[in-house]
Amino acid sequence: MDFLPIGDYGVVGNLETCALVGRDGTVDWWCLPHTESPSVFAGILDPEIGGEFAIQPADEFESEQEYVERTNVLETCLETSRGTATLTDFMPIVGEQQTLDTAEHALYRRVECGEGSIELDVELAPRFDYARAETTVEAVDGGVLATGNDEELFCQSPVALDTDGSTATGTITLDEGDTVWFVCQYGERGRLDDDEAAAMLEATTQFWKGWAHHCTDSERCLFYGPWHELVIRSELVLKLLMRRETSAIAAAPTTSLPETIGGERNWDYRFNWIRDAAFTVQALHELGHATEVEDFFAECLARIAEGESGRVEQPFYGVDGEELPDEEELDHLEGYRHSSPVRIGNAAGDQRQLDVYGELVLAIHETTQYSETLSEENWTVLRDVIDHVCEVWDKPGYGIWEDRVDPKQFVYSKVMCWAAIDRALTMAEATDYEAPIDEWEAVRAEIEERVLDEGYDEEMGSFTRSFETDNVDASLLRLPVVGFLEPDDDRILGTIEAVQDHLATDEGLVYRYDTDDGLDGEENPFVLCSFWLVDALALAGRHEEARELYTDVLEHATSIGLFAEQVDGETGEQRGNFPQAFSHLGLINSAIYVSEGADPRTPTPIGVDAPDGTS
């Protein structure tokens, strides 16, 4: 069996987990019951043994995918020489649709014949625990039951499926107007008739349409422009990656999709990175999602409170706040297009990443600007964090990109420590809460002096990746965004030019850095960094250039508006875990930066009319 291009997948989910559905009609990735749980289908990492759920024409066919407008309901259109069919995939939203007797974790697959006649092959091959557990598949009343690893998956089927003990197969022929339903339920065996399944589809569709951004006045919409639909798609992707109860966001729903085909840069991203916080808060607030902003505020404070004496114990957490599993390699899986190792867990959780403090405090500061009030109890926790930053800011660390080489004095990390102290001083002034103002101001000034002295290269005319090197790094594009220097400062303009000269492709795609990171092979341009260049250009007043670059980067989205972590610099194909929260956060925030007359550094308080006419 062949590997599909990463960009040939769509994603569906229920705010607890996600599944990837290929344009060939195959579910090739689904972890249960949660995003970070072991997989039941992992064909994207190993088509032979990983497991899949395929519904596809028996004859040669062409296909294309699209989402039902403003939803995460995915349609795959299949066409043969004899007929057409539409495969509709979705998951009911956990906690939102409990009127029917069905499992919390269920994948619905409706097949509807549009024209002529079409014969479809069905193959259900679950493989529990990343295909490590022995899985038994047997025919039962109304479908098939898969068991293994003390788990079960029941698939309701409109046609009898034959089983060989591990896989169920069958064939069904549909004529014009025929509609059938397949329903996979994890841990339960509820039975639904066609009308009940159709009602679930309608309820799911209405949930997403009711949640998604809606313009009442396009001329006042901050996101109005040719990219408007891509902004909405990105918003819907972010919601899919959020845990329902906390709004904590997984960086991606997948593991080990490679940054380079055949290489070792294959990581597990199914966790909640703290540094995503500030980006998430800004993006979702501007789209009118106050509840998610408030939930994220509480989640950020919870992570702070877990630290000892203000220390953030780890740069990312399980999406439910649980402890991280150890990094492990799954040698029995060959990896996407033979890219190994396949990893679960992420060893970077043990790294010191000082920029996290800045991102965390920025998120809290931005949230207080939007809606939340910082209580005195929370301020006490935050004050301990800033005191800790004052003690450790000059220590070496691993940086935002989680290098697997010796720690360094990364310039971006130092600037984010500066930003943490700077925003804490702002909040102290606004609240009159007790704080060692003089001490904090002195440390902030010391960080600034050292960054300007050791982190700026006069000969290059640019800030550098670290105090120890003279390489440039795309994270430096964030310096004007966090207010370290004015956007039109010559040192910022020189850094923008250095990034364009050393890290950008002719198409405007931007690499993260151009130096050794302790790993074999090379990576590809990083989508978020491309959007950061857009932001820096816009802040520097180069609006036309920023808009042109933004439009060029958007051309690399998949046909249904999704982005992975990276884009292959030669082929334009998606690379890395998919879809990637960072990429879609960047897309949304850059839309704010390129909007005419917008100042993305000035939040609109909730309760005041937002630019799109909502509040």
Side-chain angles (χ1 to χ4, degrees):
M1 300 177 66
D2 295 330
F3 290 91
L4 283 180
I6 293 172
D8 279 1
Y9 286 93
V11 61
V12 297
N14 65 350
L15 310 186
E16 296 282 350
T17 186
C18 295
L20 296 189
V21 184
R23 66 184 299 172
D24 63 351
T26 302
V27 179
D28 272 336
W29 181 253
W30 192 18
C31 296
L32 287 163
H34 302 120
T35 299
E36 66 273 26
S37 299
S39 66
V40 177
F41 301 124
I44 196 170
L45 296 177
D46 193 317
E48 294 298 324
I49 69 170
E52 65 175 18
F53 182 14
I55 301 175
Q56 53 191 202
D59 300 328
E60 290 187 6
F61 66 96
E62 296 182 353
S63 64
E64 59 182 20
Q65 287 185 321
E66 63 181 0
Y67 282 102
V68 175
E69 185 179 9
R70 296 176 56 243
T71 78
N72 283 312
V73 176
L74 182 67
E75 293 183 337
T76 305
C77 301
L78 307 166
E79 181 176 358
T80 72
S81 61
R82 296 191 297 162
T84 64
T86 299
L87 175 61
T88 301
D89 286 282
F90 68 95
M91 291 187 201
I93 307 304
V94 174
E96 296 288 336
Q97 299 150 242
Q98 300 299 323
T99 57
L100 298 176
D101 181 20
T102 185
E104 273 198 342
H105 301 287
L107 174 65
Y108 286 63
R109 314 199 74 191
R110 184 186 72 177
V111 190
E112 184 175 18
C113 183
E115 296 179 356
S117 177
I118 192 164
E119 183 180 0
L120 299 165
D121 289 334
V122 180
E123 180 178 342
L124 179 71
R127 300 292 183 261
F128 292 102
D129 192 24
Y130 305 108
R132 292 183 295 190
E134 182 178 350
T135 302
T136 300
V137 178
E138 60 180 329
V140 297
D141 184 28
V144 296
L145 179 67
T147 57
N149 199 38
D150 296 324
E151 301 174 273
E152 67 175 36
L153 185 74
F154 170 68
C155 182
Q156 180 178 322
S157 173
V159 60
L161 300 177
D162 298 324
T163 68
D164 62 5
S166 63
T167 302
T169 58
T171 302
I172 185 170
T173 300
L174 303 180
D175 296 321
E176 185 173 332
D178 288 345
T179 299
V180 294
W181 291 85
F182 295 82
V183 183
C184 278
Q185 301 176 49
Y186 176 77
E188 299 182 45
R189 303 191 207 179
R191 306 287 172 81
L192 290 85
D193 61 30
D194 288 358
D195 290 340
E196 290 173 323
M200 194 65 78
L201 172 58
E202 176 64 19
T204 304
T205 300
Q206 291 308 313
F207 170 85
W208 288 116
K209 288 189 173 183
W211 183 86
H213 167 76
H214 178 70
C215 297
T216 57
D217 183 351
S218 62
E219 292 185 358
R220 299 183 65 215
C221 176
L222 191 59
F223 302 98
Y224 183 69
W227 45 76
H228 189 264
E229 293 306 310
L230 281 173
V231 168
I232 294 175
R233 177 52 46 204
S234 292
E235 165 198 34
L236 288 163
V237 169
L238 294 182
K239 183 64 172 177
L240 271 184
L241 296 177
M242 286 183 175
R243 186 56 48 83
R244 174 175 58 98
E245 295 181 348
T246 65
S247 292
I249 185 170
T254 58
T255 181
S256 298
L257 295 184
E259 298 175 11
T260 305
I261 299 302
E264 66 168 327
R265 299 168 183 265
N266 319 316
W267 313 110
D268 193 346
Y269 279 2
R270 296 171 297 159
F271 307 108
N272 174 35
W273 266 257
I274 291 175
R275 68 170 54 91
D276 291 5
F279 306 114
T280 303
V281 166
Q282 182 184 30
L284 292 182
H285 172 265
E286 297 295 356
L287 286 160
H289 299 301
T291 299
E292 285 77 7
V293 170
E294 293 162 4
D295 288 346
F296 219 109
F297 177 84
E299 182 69 12
C300 287
L301 289 173
R303 298 288 74 78
I304 288 178
E306 291 179 357
E308 180 181 350
S309 299
R311 179 175 182 264
V312 175
E313 299 295 338
Q314 53 198 48
F316 55 92
Y317 293 81
V319 183
D320 277 335
E322 69 274 12
E323 292 186 7
L324 296 173
D326 293 334
E327 184 170 294
E328 180 182 357
E329 296 183 1
L330 303 182
D331 295 333
H332 66 288
L333 296 176
E334 67 172 291
Y336 179 81
R337 289 177 60 180
H338 316 291
S339 303
S340 62
V342 171
R343 294 183 174 94
I344 56 174
N346 196 313
D350 295 330
Q351 293 182 351
R352 174 194 285 147
Q353 298 176 17
L354 293 174
D355 69 285
V356 167
Y357 291 100
E359 302 293 4
L360 186 59
V361 178
L362 280 174
I364 293 171
H365 175 255
E366 291 224 359
T367 309
T368 60
Q369 296 289 98
Y370 292 140
S371 63
E372 286 289 324
T373 300
L374 188 66
S375 69
E376 190 164 3
E377 178 182 0
N378 289 332
W379 172 254
T380 300
V381 177
L382 182 58
R383 187 179 60 207
D384 287 343
V385 169
I386 301 304
D387 287 341
H388 181 71
V389 171
C390 290
E391 294 176 0
V392 302
W393 72 267
D394 59 347
K395 306 295 183 186
Y398 289 91
I400 184 174
W401 307 129
E402 302 177 346
D403 289 10
R404 298 206 171 188
V405 293
D406 292 337
K408 289 184 174 61
Q409 300 282 11
F410 287 103
V411 170
Y412 180 70
S413 295
K414 306 309 176 191
V415 169
M416 294 311 295
C417 288
W418 176 94
I421 299 171
D422 181 75
R423 297 314 192 272
L425 285 165
T426 300
M427 287 186 279
E429 181 180 358
T431 60
D432 289 329
Y433 289 150
E434 182 180 350
I437 300 297
D438 292 343
E439 179 183 337
W440 288 0
E441 287 181 340
V443 176
R444 180 180 62 176
E446 184 180 358
I447 297 174
E448 179 178 352
E449 180 180 3
R450 189 165 176 194
V451 168
L452 295 178
D453 182 45
E454 299 185 48
Y456 181 78
D457 188 303
E458 293 282 355
E459 185 175 343
M460 285 178 57
S462 168
F463 285 96
T464 59
R465 173 173 163 84
S466 70
F467 292 169
E468 300 92 340
T469 65
D470 59 1
N471 302 92
V472 72
D473 189 298
S475 64
L476 301 168
L477 295 168
R478 293 273 297 158
L479 269 57
V481 176
V482 303
F484 184 74
L485 290 175
E486 289 299 314
D488 59 354
D489 186 287
D490 287 343
R491 291 163 292 188
I492 294 297
L493 297 179
T495 301
I496 293 174
E497 183 177 348
V499 169
Q500 290 177 312
D501 288 345
H502 297 285
L503 300 180
T505 69
D506 292 339
E507 293 78 22
L509 297 173
V510 177
Y511 290 87
R512 293 185 289 182
Y513 45 78
D514 61 353
T515 188
D516 176 50
D517 58 7
L519 297 166
D520 291 335
E522 298 180 355
E523 64 166 11
N524 283 293
F526 201 81
V527 175
L528 177 62
C529 294
S530 306
F531 290 129
W532 281 351
L533 179 56
V534 171
D535 303 343
L537 290 169
L539 284 174
R542 294 156 65 173
H543 299 293
E544 183 175 349
E545 186 178 355
R547 289 168 70 92
E548 289 179 357
L549 175 59
Y550 186 57
T551 302
D552 289 344
V553 176
L554 295 183
E555 291 293 325
H556 294 279
T558 72
S559 63
I560 55 176
L562 303 182
F563 273 106
E565 178 185 21
Q566 302 181 6
V567 172
D568 191 300
E570 295 183 0
T571 68
E573 294 182 342
Q574 304 291 318
R575 293 286 180 259
N577 284 306
F578 179 84
Q580 179 82 359
F582 246 5
S583 299
H584 289 280
L585 285 165
L587 188 156
I588 294 171
N589 286 329
S590 286
I592 301 173
Y593 282 75
V594 300
S595 296
E596 293 183 8
D599 183 353
R601 295 176 297 171
T602 305
T604 304
I606 292 176
V608 177
D609 284 346
D612 63 352
T614 63
S615 62

